[in-house]
Amino acid sequence: MFDAVTKKGLTPLLGILKELGNIGIMFLQSIYWTFRRPFKLNYIFKQMEFIGVNSISVVIITGTFTGMVLALQSYYGFRKFGAEGLVGTTVALSMTRELGPVLTSLMVTGRAGSAMAAELGSMRVTEQIDALIVMALNPIKYLVVPRVIASFLMFPVLTSIANFVGIIGGYLVGVKLLGINEGAFINKIIKYLDPEDIYNGLIKAAVFGIIMSVISCYKGFYTRGGAEGVGRSTTEAVVMSSVTILVTDYVLTSLMF
Amino acid sequence: MEDTAIRIIDLHKSFGPQKVLDGINLEVETGKITVIIGKSGGGKSVLLKHIIGLLKPDSGEIWVNGNDITKLPEKELNEVRRSFGMLFQEAALFDSMDVFDNVAFPLREHTKLSDREIESVVEERLRQVGLLTFTEKMPSELSGGMRKRVGLARALVLDPDIILFDEPTSALDPIISLSILDLIRETQQRIQKTYVVISHDILGMFRIADKVAMLYGGKIIEYGTPYEIRRSTKEATKEFLKATKIPGFTGGSYEQQQDFP
Ligand SMILES: Nc1ncnc2c1ncn2[C@@H]1O[C@H](COP(=O)(O)OP(=O)(O)OP(=O)(O)O)[C@@H](O)[C@H]1O
Ligand SMILES: [Mg+2]
């Protein structure tokens, strides 16, 4: 009986471990190919535009409303102790340390991660990846590396935007709507927000960018089974990236702060 | 130069329980057109993918330029691949690029030609396949046959030593099909490269083949000139050829088929 139980529990666990191993291999391969000439700068710029520039509106909306709701919620809490002045600090710390990087990453995963998996998946099933290999060109270099580099660079940029508009949103709700003293709001932010809070948040974002792009590319790259397979890869890419981002977030946070 | 461009020795490949290649032996002659015929699902595409190292066999050897490519590490395999061109069965054009960029891609990645030179080569190739006015179309805006022709232009663009064609004339109407066959024949005669063509379009293939190999049951059961193949006494080959006879049309009998060049 013990055997049956371990077998049932172990098989999926081994599957997950194996997949994580393969994803790790793809990550290492993309690091290797990043430093091999010729550098495909135009491919990287194209991805930076897709991942970064085209995500700005989504990130602005998400960031602003997150900052606004944070102000609202923390005001409700702090009012009970007469500490409304701390609303600004709460918004700023929550945004930069936690919600900016995490929410931005999750939103961009939904947008760009799904697109990466779908693009690479359909390239796989229509033999475009084979066509690259036949031309003696490495598909990791041409397809995966530009996406990973672009994500690594753009996630912190997008997170900075989210942080900024989030604090503005908090300011609008806190100061303009709820009537918190403007001076107190801003001074407390300056006093309690360390540059380190911002840096650490941006480092997290860069790590999330790598996680999202490597997982999504991996899922797309190894797609099987036609159009249906592409759909499956896309869903799996978003789910696995999001879960991994949240788990990694806890680990990184406990290490950093 | 060696007479044999590709030597395949006892090649085996199974997918799970399904035996697809069951001991292939074949020598492809340098500078000739070898046509591999066989029924749909018989393993022709799988064989072609082994020749260019996209699939690894369960056992057997494939010798190209003095290397057994089934044993080569990726880096050296890529050196060998540079002397190959390939037309995929579904063309495998890059979705993200227009027709011009698809054909220009191998030139941009593997040569130091200037933009102007690339343009003239690409336009020449697209003119040959009759698609010069479609340079700015995306692959998704083309018909299946047009994609095939762009794929053909892309496979030819680097003038590689060995070109593999997976069903060059499927999805084409009879007239275009004929012009593509003529293009294949004519380029081959001009540059004397090694062409391997797989197909089940038998009539068309007898038009261009120097040698024909018949793939059946995972083996090459017949190999020879088109003339020899037509006179085969093997049941499988006879049956396969019989299926292409249409009473009253050219090819309706063995005698009439001899009219082909
Ligand atoms: N990657 C793969 N995984 C599993 N089975 C495969 C794979 N590729 C091909 N097969 C199987 O191998 C057999 C031969 O396929 P192949 O594509 O070589 O046929 P073909 O001779 O090219 O046919 P057609 O003329 O229709 O293109 C088929 O039964 C197919 O199901
Ligand atoms: Mg095929």
Side-chain angles (χ1 to χ4, degrees), chain A residues 95-113:
Chain A
M95 282 308 295
T96 53
R97 290 170 61 122
E98 187 59 39
L99 294 173
V102 172
L103 286 179
T104 302
S105 304
L106 293 180
M107 295 307 289
V108 180
T109 298
R111 226 195 110 261

Side-chain angles (χ1 to χ4, degrees), chain B residues 5-21:
Chain B
I6 306 165
R7 176 176 288 125
I8 303 173
I9 303 170
D10 201 27
L11 196 71
H12 287 260
K13 178 72 175 182
S14 302
F15 294 106
Q18 183 194 7
K19 262 195 193 142
V20 177
L21 304 181

